[in-house]
Amino acid sequence: MPTNFTVVPVEDGGAGKSSLELVFREEDITPRRPYSGDNTPRESSPFINNTDHDRGNYYDGKNMALFEEEIESNPMVSSLLNKLANYTNLTQGVTEHEEYENEDGVTKIAVKSSQMGTFIGVYLPCMQNILGVILFLRLTWIVGTAGIMESFAIVVMCCTCTMLTAISMSAIATNGVVPAGGSYYMISRSLGPEFGGAVGLCFYLGTTFAGSMYILGTIEILLTDAMLNNMRVYGTCCLALMALVVFVGVKYVNKLALVFLACVVLSIMAIYAGVIKTVIEPPNYPICLLGNRSLQNHNFEKCMKTEVIKNVTYTTELWKLFCDSPHLNATCDEYFTLNNLTEIQGIPGLLSGVIKDNMWGEYGPSGMLVEKKNQSSVPVQDNSRDIYKPYIFNDISTFFTLLVGIYFPSVTGIMAGSNRSGDLRDAQRSIPIGTILAIATTSFIYMTCVVLFGACIEGVVLRDKFGDSVKKNLVIGTLAWPSPWVIVIGSFFSCCGAGLQSLTGAPRLLQAIARDGIVPFLQVFGHGKANGEPTWALLMTVGICEIGILIASLDAVAPILSMFFLMCYLFVNLACAVQTLLRTPNWRPRFKFYHWTLSFLGMSLCLSLMFISSWYYALVAMSIAGCIYKYIEYRGAEKEWGDGIRGLSLNAARYALIRLEEVPTHTKNWRPQLLVLLKLDSDLGVKHPRLLSFTTQLKAGKGLTIVSSVLEGTYMTLGAEAKSAEQNVKSAMHLERTKGFCHVVVSSNLRDGFSHLIQSAGLGGMKHNAVLMAWPGGWKQAEDSYPWKNFIETVRETTSAHQALLVAKNIDKFPCNQDRLGEGTIDVWWIVHDGGLLMLLPFLLRQHKVWRKCKMRIFTVAQMNDNSIQMKKDLQMFLYHLRLNAVVEVVEMHDSDIAAFTYEKTLVMEQRSQMLKQMQLSRTEREREIQSITDESRNSIEKKSSVVETLQASNTLQVPSLSISMDIREDEESHANLSDTATTTPDHHVHMTWTKDKLIAERNRKRGEPNVGVKDLFNMKPNQSNVRRMHTAVKLNEVVVNKSQGAQLVLLNMPGPPKNKGGDENYMEFLEVLMDGLDRVLLVRGGGREVITIYS
């Protein structure tokens, strides 16, 4: 349905300068780079030809003032339409630009607008590339070997494949503007850089080997004796000459293109004219048969054994080829003696009925004699010396699949129109029409030629590949009218033109791939001459083309390039099918006659033809493409082209996430899906990169990893910092080889930020089930209590969310990914049952090469009433069923009296906690009093300014600068004498006026308060519950240090925080005592579910 646009004129009510010119001065308007939604740079314009002068266009009138702040990034519709009207799509090096110099001697390029239409720009180039060497040199042999029926099936299969590919290509080519680059551009932008690079290089290799095939065809036409070494020498010389022509200038190739095409058209017309002439008067090309065997007739003129001249019998030249002397009594070949010579017409004509004999094929091994069907002969026993006689043999083994591979290159070349998309006036209209018409025309030509060749030419002549039975003439030339030289000249120029086109197109394709930067080692081929000619790419193409020429066999080279072209066509069909099925919003082709079933049929046909032609070549081509794909995926540059594979991945991910959420994870599939909480430094860098290293070692790329951090503030002010921090974290993840996702959030405070991450990180079934964080090492020396309070709240929230918690102490001492721990142990202290996570973690760690050589030891604690021997046996049996190899040891902890050290340590801990609480309370009260006094002073100044001035002179004391922070510091210094953990606060200077009595009373009150607090601290008695907990921590630490001080890693059960938040600081002290004296400790707290099972 057409869309109607209405242009509404808007008049400016004012005169003179427009309002926007008043608002925006020229120096104030600076072009900025717009950003997309994820804060990543995007193209400044959706059009290729975006020139800088567009930025200077200002919009007149007051009526658009509402949008004036967005004019720089969001242009007005009038500017958009102006860009559309002035848009030109330039070719990228396909044609050379004419250069001229201006008055200053500066070279300028005169760009010609694209004016080529459908016929000249698409139809004729496709015809020229499709009709070529196979038609003139091999089609007759294919018809004679496979028969009319099977040859027709080969042609139909190959033409159907290219027609379906052309339909898919037309849909892609009309889905927006296709810059010059053709098939590579379409595949890479539809399937992504990995597929695009792999298939693009395969298409490049196919085009290069096509050049080899055309050059070999050229030499085969010229040489009467196609020996292998002759082919190599002359082929190399021809390649050097063609490369020189291409290097000198593509414009000469383009100017000769029409000449070459005219030769092809005249040759085909000569073939049809010759077929018509055979109805009236068949040409005279006698074929000599010995028995039913076809003979090479270029060494004799008369098809007879003897001839009578003046009643005297003489032997002929043919006699000398089969007998040991020219005399009549000579000893001759047995088959020559027993069989007669017969001369038949090689071109009996359309009405001769020879079509019946040529209906079915005649395959055979290499060296098989070419024999006429239904011709009588006397067989002989000894055929060993036949190879030395002038018979016609099969030079290669023939079978149906081989002929498919040899014939398929004759239908390639359908990309010629899309490769010239930069030169077309309307590419979206010309490419589909021109390509499909060219394929339809050439398919008709091939199908009719198959039938006409079989109906006009004798079977032994059709199977004569090199024309030895017709005096070294091209077999197809014997059918042409008025002379075989029309075909010779036409096929020669056709092969030369196709070879030049291949040597012209292949380097530009390689240059386009190199300039995209997706394959790092190809970047050198992106450079060229000053006018853009790809010099280095041309040298590389010539080198690869020489490999094909050294093969020196057109029949061996043709299946190679068939593989590469079929793979390219396969992915063109795949690209169209994927885009159609995904229904992406940008998929809106103007060509409507396509369907995803046609694309899948074309893709299946391409894959089938690959394995039909040559299964081993198909495997090699697919292996090459697979290696290139993996290389680009591993080392290539990251490109986002909006390709269909990314959309396919999104759809597959959505489907998988929905399926995962339907059923909870079974214990057998449970693995730690980590949420890693990172701390950033002042430069927004990762403070503990070893935490990422440990994540890599624990995960080994399996499962889900979400690396996150929190910035304190608001997103409006810290949005850019958050993106910068996220990039830094991603860089650190790349360096530490951590595979996962990164997310940095901005929150009003750290506590809320971590809480939101724990609750909402992940998506659907891919949510984390464990949290990994570093131990807050400097919590005692911190200026405030936020670090350890945040830590304890995180522990509580993970417990409430039923998530496991891993806390690594001394994380900076953990090994990096390059370390190899040769000897040592991973000690697990299994105090309480946590679902088996303590035993699963060492197993996962030992899968990584850093921890692979470490042995696993499991310790458990036995109380007085436990049977330690039985516990050890049970634990060993449990580990056996779990399929874990570990050394088991049971540690007995006897009940003992609480030591004086434990009592004293608990007392010091509680005194410190009480003292910090008093300091915090004192500081808070003072800040409140300062604020109230300040407010009262301001009110009194406003209301009674004159009275205050009088009172100040008589009976008040002026305090111009009273610093309350001095008093606070005095208090803190007194507390610091009892403990080394005093905290500091910033200075708060408040200027106020007090009465003398009020000031003295306030000072006395402040000096009295600390003394009361100190007396209370000295009179404190430790809480018995805290004493018992400290006793447990001290005793357990002694046992752990005694057994595991030399271990590479110690895993401990992490006790839960107290339910009463008043003992949070004591909880931190307990954990500190528990881990004292150990280098690498991992505290583990289970998520409340079983994570390991003995069942299969």
Side-chain angles (χ1 to χ4, degrees):
M1 164 174 189
T3 304
N4 297 324
F5 292 94
T6 303
V7 180
V8 181
V10 179
E11 296 182 358
D12 190 2
K17 289 190 175 181
S18 65
S19 60
L20 290 186
E21 286 181 335
L22 297 176
V23 175
F24 293 98
R25 294 176 302 177
E26 185 174 353
E27 59 269 21
D28 293 336
I29 300 179
T30 57
R32 62 175 179 172
R33 191 177 187 181
Y35 279 77
S36 58
D38 56 352
N39 208 29
T40 56
R42 66 169 189 249
E43 295 181 7
S44 57
S45 173
F47 305 103
I48 298 174
N49 295 337
N50 182 29
T51 55
D52 292 336
H53 72 272
D54 293 329
R55 300 174 182 174
N57 295 336
Y58 309 125
Y59 307 99
D60 297 335
K62 307 171 185 175
N63 303 284
M64 296 298 136
L66 185 61
F67 302 96
E68 61 189 13
E69 294 183 358
E70 300 176 347
I71 286 178
E72 297 177 9
S73 58
N74 300 331
M76 305 292 283
V77 175
S78 58
S79 175
L80 177 72
L81 297 176
N82 184 42
K83 290 180 182 179
L84 278 172
N86 295 330
Y87 172 73
T88 57
N89 184 11
L90 302 179
T91 177
Q92 298 173 357
V94 177
T95 57
E96 288 184 330
H97 304 305
E98 296 181 2
E99 299 184 357
Y100 68 94
E101 293 186 357
N102 59 6
E103 298 177 354
D104 300 329
V106 179
T107 302
K108 290 188 176 181
I109 297 177
V111 180
K112 297 181 179 179
S113 60
S114 303
Q115 293 296 329
M116 297 178 69
T118 303
F119 186 75
I120 298 295
V122 180
Y123 181 77
L124 291 182
C126 286
M127 289 278 292
Q128 180 186 2
N129 281 267
I130 294 174
L131 300 173
V133 60
I134 301 297
L135 171 65
F136 297 116
L137 297 182
R138 291 293 182 269
L139 187 58
T140 54
W141 174 72
I142 291 173
V143 172
T145 304
I148 295 175
M149 297 299 294
E150 294 182 27
S151 299
F152 198 82
I154 293 174
V155 173
V156 169
M157 279 195 306
C158 296
C159 292
T160 302
C161 176
T162 55
M163 179 62 77
L164 294 174
T165 304
I167 292 173
S168 300
M169 183 194 70
S170 299
I172 299 175
T174 58
N175 186 49
V177 178
V178 179
S183 58
Y184 162 70
Y185 182 90
M186 289 189 292
I187 295 173
S188 61
R189 270 56 177 181
S190 298
L191 294 180
E194 293 86 4
F195 279 107
V199 181
L201 285 177
C202 286
F203 189 58
Y204 163 74
L205 292 175
T207 307
T208 305
F209 276 103
S212 302
M213 184 186 69
Y214 293 132
I215 292 174
L216 289 174
T218 303
I219 303 304
E220 189 174 310
I221 293 169
L222 291 178
L223 294 182
T224 56
D225 188 12
M227 301 295 291
L228 294 182
N229 288 331
N230 291 343
M231 297 282 287
R232 294 186 179 105
V233 173
Y234 287 105
T236 302
C237 295
C238 184
L239 173 63
L241 183 61
M242 288 185 177
L244 182 62
V245 172
V246 174
F247 179 78
V248 169
V250 185
K251 56 186 177 182
Y252 301 111
V253 178
N254 291 333
K255 289 178 180 178
L256 293 174
L258 288 178
V259 177
F260 296 147
L261 180 60
C263 294
V264 174
V265 173
L266 289 176
S267 300
I268 294 174
M269 293 175 63
I271 294 171
Y272 283 106
V275 170
I276 296 172
K277 185 177 181 297
T278 60
V279 178
I280 305 171
E281 182 185 357
N284 183 27
Y285 282 97
I287 305 299
C288 187
L289 299 178
L290 178 61
N292 62 351
R293 299 179 182 179
S294 178
L295 298 178
Q296 301 177 11
N297 67 353
H298 49 80
N299 290 326
F300 60 90
E301 294 292 334
K302 298 178 181 179
C303 183
M304 57 183 65
K305 297 180 181 179
T306 59
E307 60 179 342
V308 179
I309 302 176
K310 297 181 181 180
N311 296 325
V312 179
T313 302
Y314 296 95
T315 59
T316 61
E317 294 176 353
L318 187 57
W319 178 281
K320 298 175 184 178
L321 297 175
F322 286 92
C323 301
D324 57 1
S325 72
H327 304 293
L328 292 175
N329 59 353
T331 302
C332 296
D333 181 75
E334 183 181 4
Y335 187 85
F336 181 77
T337 304
L338 297 177
N339 289 276
N340 296 323
L341 290 170
T342 307
E343 191 174 63
I344 63 173
Q345 283 297 323
I347 313 294
L350 190 63
L351 303 178
S352 62
V354 74
I355 189 172
K356 298 178 182 178
D357 299 331
N358 295 331
M359 192 63 67
W360 302 105
E362 192 169 334
Y363 302 103
S366 176
M368 187 186 79
L369 293 168
V370 176
E371 299 175 341
K372 177 175 171 56
K373 303 175 184 177
N374 304 324
Q375 182 78 16
S376 61
S377 66
V378 179
V380 295
Q381 297 296 327
D382 185 15
N383 295 321
S384 59
R385 298 190 60 83
D386 287 347
I387 58 175
Y388 303 107
K389 305 304 178 184
Y391 297 122
I392 297 175
F393 302 92
N394 283 351
D395 61 330
I396 58 175
S397 298
T398 55
F399 40 90
F400 178 79
T401 57
L402 173 72
L403 300 184
V404 174
I406 293 176
Y407 173 77
F408 188 80
S410 66
V411 296
T412 60
I414 62 173
M415 301 289 186
S418 62
N419 291 339
R420 294 169 175 262
S421 58
D423 298 326
L424 300 176
R425 185 186 306 115
D426 186 0
Q428 295 190 17
R429 178 179 176 274
S430 298
I431 289 177
I433 296 175
T435 305
I436 292 176
L437 283 179
I439 293 176
T441 305
T442 53
S443 298
F444 173 79
I445 291 174
Y446 280 125
M447 291 177 187
T448 54
C449 284
V450 166
V451 176
L452 294 176
F453 291 164
C456 295
I457 305 175
E458 183 63 50
V460 291
V461 179
L462 288 174
R463 294 196 298 277
D464 182 7
K465 182 186 293 185
F466 302 107
D468 292 322
S469 61
V470 287
K471 298 186 180 298
K472 285 291 186 178
N473 285 315
L474 291 178
V475 175
I476 194 174
T478 61
L479 186 63
W481 181 85
S483 170
W485 284 101
V486 176
I487 298 296
V488 172
I489 296 173
S491 60
F492 174 77
F493 282 111
S494 171
C495 293
C496 288
L500 288 172
Q501 291 290 343
S502 298
L503 291 179
T504 302
R508 281 161 178 77
L509 181 59
L510 181 61
Q511 186 183 46
I513 299 172
R515 285 182 174 177
D516 267 345
I518 58 176
V519 185
F521 69 86
L522 292 180
Q523 290 183 356
V524 65
F525 299 110
H527 306 291
K529 293 193 295 186
N531 60 355
E533 288 297 306
T535 307
W536 293 107
L538 177 61
L539 294 177
M540 182 68 177
T541 302
V542 170
I544 298 175
C545 196
E546 177 64 19
I547 297 174
I549 289 175
L550 292 178
I551 296 175
S553 173
L554 189 149
D555 301 320
V557 173
I560 297 176
L561 63 98
S562 293
M563 293 303 110
F564 293 124
F565 278 117
L566 279 168
M567 184 169 292
C568 177
Y569 297 165
L570 184 150
F571 281 100
V572 169
N573 285 292
L574 176 63
C576 181
V578 168
Q579 297 278 24
T580 305
L581 289 176
L582 289 179
R583 297 178 181 177
T584 53
N586 192 52
W587 181 247
R588 303 184 300 273
R590 288 189 178 277
F591 181 78
K592 301 300 182 183
F593 305 99
Y594 71 95
H595 196 266
W596 66 268
T597 54
L598 295 178
S599 300
F600 267 112
L601 181 61
M603 183 178 65
S604 303
L605 191 54
C606 288
L607 188 62
S608 302
L609 287 175
M610 286 178 66
F611 283 93
I612 287 174
S613 303
S614 176
W615 63 268
Y616 46 89
Y617 278 161
L619 293 178
V620 170
M622 294 174 73
S623 300
I624 293 174
C627 292
I628 297 172
Y629 178 93
K630 296 304 293 184
Y631 175 80
I632 296 174
E633 186 181 48
Y634 179 67
R635 294 291 304 274
E638 294 183 1
K639 299 285 184 180
E640 176 51 55
W641 288 331
D643 52 272
I645 293 299
R646 185 172 179 84
L648 190 63
S649 301
L650 289 173
N651 273 8
R654 180 187 62 84
Y655 176 77
L657 286 173
I658 293 174
R659 290 293 303 275
L660 282 175
E661 198 171 21
E662 292 176 356
V663 181
T665 305
H666 193 272
T667 302
K668 291 186 291 186
N669 295 326
W670 194 96
R671 65 167 60 246
Q673 317 287 4
L674 290 181
L675 170 65
V676 184
L677 301 180
L678 286 181
K679 187 175 182 181
L680 304 178
D681 55 23
S682 57
D683 296 329
L684 301 180
V686 178
K687 191 171 185 179
H688 301 295
R690 291 294 174 89
L691 196 62
L692 296 175
S693 303
F694 184 70
T695 304
T696 303
Q697 297 157 21
L698 183 62
K699 300 289 292 180
K702 304 294 190 300
L704 174 69
T705 302
I706 303 174
V707 182
S708 57
S709 187
V710 178
L711 296 181
E712 195 169 5
T714 62
Y715 189 75
M716 295 297 294
T717 57
L718 297 180
E721 286 80 356
K723 294 298 179 182
S724 176
E726 196 165 298
Q727 290 299 322
N728 294 339
V729 174
K730 286 181 180 179
S731 301
M733 291 174 65
H734 178 72
L735 292 176
E736 301 297 337
R737 299 180 181 178
T738 304
K739 296 181 180 179
F741 306 98
C742 171
H743 193 37
V744 176
V745 300
V746 181
S747 179
S748 58
N749 56 73
L750 299 179
R751 174 80 294 280
D752 290 344
F754 287 125
S755 176
H756 295 156
L757 285 172
I758 292 172
Q759 295 177 58
S760 60
L763 181 64
M766 288 294 287
K767 291 183 70 69
H768 63 280
N769 53 26
V771 176
L772 173 62
M773 60 189 303
W775 172 259
W779 66 275
K780 287 186 178 181
Q781 291 77 28
E783 295 181 357
D784 51 40
S785 59
Y786 289 121
W788 58 266
K789 284 187 176 181
N790 289 341
F791 173 79
I792 295 176
E793 289 300 316
T794 302
V795 176
R796 287 195 174 100
E797 290 197 357
T798 54
T799 304
S800 300
H802 301 289
Q803 297 173 2
L805 178 64
L806 311 179
V807 180
K809 183 187 178 185
N810 296 330
I811 186 62
D812 294 328
K813 295 182 179 180
F814 276 56
C816 64
N817 292 326
Q818 287 73 32
D819 294 339
R820 302 291 181 269
L821 301 179
E823 299 294 335
T825 60
I826 301 176
D827 289 356
V828 177
W829 285 85
W830 193 17
I831 311 300
V832 296
H833 181 58
D834 61 347
L837 184 58
L838 269 173
M839 286 173 285
L840 182 62
L841 292 177
F843 170 77
L844 296 175
L845 279 176
R846 293 180 69 237
Q847 305 302 309
H848 197 274
K849 51 192 174 183
V850 173
W851 304 89
R852 188 165 296 158
K853 295 184 179 180
C854 293
K855 296 180 180 180
M856 180 177 170
R857 297 193 301 178
I858 295 183
F859 297 89
T860 188
V861 177
Q863 302 296 327
M864 282 294 295
N865 55 352
D866 293 330
N867 186 344
S868 59
I869 298 176
Q870 187 61 37
M871 282 181 62
K872 184 173 182 179
K873 291 181 180 179
D874 293 341
L875 183 54
Q876 287 175 338
M877 182 58 63
F878 183 56
L879 293 177
Y880 175 78
H881 288 304
L882 289 176
R883 291 91 63 200
L884 294 176
N885 297 321
V887 178
V888 177
E889 187 170 344
V890 178
V891 179
E892 296 182 353
M893 288 186 63
H894 303 289
D895 289 339
S896 59
D897 296 333
I898 298 175
F901 169 76
T902 303
Y903 189 87
E904 182 180 354
K905 195 171 185 64
T906 308
L907 180 60
V908 172
M909 176 188 71
E910 293 187 353
Q911 287 177 347
R912 178 178 180 277
S913 299
Q914 187 64 25
M915 180 173 52
L916 289 175
K917 287 180 181 178
Q918 291 183 2
M919 291 173 59
Q920 184 67 26
L921 183 60
S922 176
R923 185 183 303 114
T924 304
E925 290 177 350
R926 288 171 180 171
E927 290 173 353
R928 290 177 179 174
E929 188 168 355
I930 290 170
Q931 186 62 39
S932 63
I933 293 172
T934 304
D935 295 340
E936 184 177 352
S937 299
R938 287 175 179 171
N939 292 333
S940 62
I941 290 172
E942 291 176 0
K943 295 179 180 179
K944 302 177 182 180
S945 58
S946 59
V947 177
V948 169
E949 291 176 358
T950 307
L951 292 176
Q952 285 178 348
S954 59
N955 55 358
T956 61
L957 177 64
Q958 177 73 27
V959 184
S961 178
L962 178 63
S963 178
I964 303 300
S965 64
M966 295 299 296
D967 295 328
I968 296 175
R969 288 181 180 178
E970 290 176 5
D971 295 341
E972 290 178 351
E973 289 174 0
S974 64
H975 288 298
N977 295 329
L978 299 177
S979 174
D980 295 333
T981 58
T983 58
T984 61
T985 59
D987 295 342
H988 301 281
H989 298 280
V990 182
H991 300 275
M992 63 187 70
T993 302
W994 283 2
T995 63
K996 184 175 181 180
D997 297 336
K998 195 170 185 179
L999 178 62
I1000 295 173
E1002 181 65 19
R1003 283 183 174 177
N1004 290 337
R1005 186 181 67 82
K1006 292 174 183 177
R1007 290 172 181 171
E1009 287 178 355
N1011 296 329
V1012 175
V1014 171
K1015 290 178 182 179
D1016 292 340
L1017 289 176
F1018 281 116
N1019 294 331
M1020 281 182 62
K1021 290 184 179 181
N1023 186 285
Q1024 291 302 315
S1025 177
N1026 289 339
V1027 172
R1028 286 188 294 106
R1029 288 185 173 88
M1030 182 63 74
H1031 174 70
T1032 303
V1034 171
K1035 298 300 291 184
L1036 189 56
N1037 175 257
E1038 290 177 358
V1039 176
V1040 174
V1041 171
N1042 183 36
K1043 295 287 185 179
S1044 304
Q1045 191 170 18
Q1048 298 289 0
L1049 180 64
V1050 178
L1051 282 78
L1052 284 170
N1053 279 117
M1054 182 179 183
K1059 296 182 179 179
N1060 181 15
K1061 294 187 177 182
D1064 285 354
E1065 188 176 3
N1066 298 337
Y1067 171 72
M1068 295 293 293
E1069 190 70 38
F1070 295 146
L1071 294 181
E1072 195 74 61
V1073 171
L1074 182 62
M1075 297 183 292
D1076 188 31
L1078 300 173
D1079 280 342
R1080 299 174 186 152
V1081 183
L1082 185 66
L1083 293 177
V1084 180
R1085 183 165 176 79
R1089 61 162 294 173
E1090 295 293 329
V1091 300
I1092 194 168
T1093 178
I1094 64 175
Y1095 299 104
S1096 61

